[in-house]
Amino acid sequence: METVEFFSADDVAWQNDALCTTADFDFIPDIETEQGAAEAEARWCRTCPVRTQCLAWAMLHGAEGYWGGTSTYQRAQLRRVRTRAKCPICQATTLVYTDPHELCLACGASWIRDVREQPIAATPLPAAGAA
């Protein structure tokens, strides 16, 4: 397992490299909409070099608005514990998976899961000629 990058949850220096710093778009609106989330993701977040740090920061701080190409609702869904896997750093089970990254909400560590090492279970196809 390889750690992609580690950063302090209090460090916001990554924001200087965010594409949205000069945008004339309200990333923290009073009312979030699916259309607003889609526009933010398509125009700024999709190609942003600090998207991963932005999403991780928003997840760790419970931020509202459009962060890392997600809405507040989408991040709430990502926070739901779906696995009993443990963080390799702190052993917490509060992990979220956003393809292909996993993020530990307890310590902030993130990594990419290699599906070649931990394949996703699938139902095998029936054998040829089987009825």
Side-chain angles (χ1 to χ4, degrees):
M1 188 173 301
E2 173 184 342
T3 301
V4 175
E5 182 176 344
F6 180 81
F7 69 97
S8 168
D10 296 323
D11 182 14
V12 292
W14 56 267
Q15 290 180 351
N16 296 330
D17 297 326
L19 297 179
C20 62
T21 55
T22 59
D24 60 351
F25 181 82
D26 186 5
F27 285 89
I28 307 173
D30 291 334
I31 299 173
E32 294 181 43
T33 64
E34 288 184 32
Q35 180 182 358
E39 181 179 352
E41 199 277 333
R43 290 185 63 192
W44 294 280
C45 303
R46 185 175 297 157
T47 59
C48 186
V50 294
R51 181 178 184 172
T52 303
Q53 293 94 327
C54 180
L55 176 58
W57 190 89
M59 298 278 298
L60 292 170
H61 291 279
E64 293 186 6
Y66 309 124
W67 293 81
T70 63
S71 66
T72 303
Y73 173 78
Q74 291 167 327
R75 288 188 304 281
Q77 295 303 304
L78 290 172
R79 278 189 194 93
R80 290 179 40 216
V81 176
R82 294 181 172 92
T83 179
R84 291 293 169 224
K86 293 184 179 179
C87 172
I89 308 289
C90 71
Q91 299 300 305
T93 58
T94 54
L95 306 179
V96 292
Y97 181 71
T98 137
D99 191 22
H101 298 278
E102 280 189 288
L103 170 69
C104 176
L105 296 177
C107 72
S110 69
W111 58 91
I112 293 178
R113 174 181 285 185
D114 187 347
V115 293
R116 292 173 298 178
E117 293 177 12
Q118 300 174 6
I120 297 170
T123 306
L125 294 173

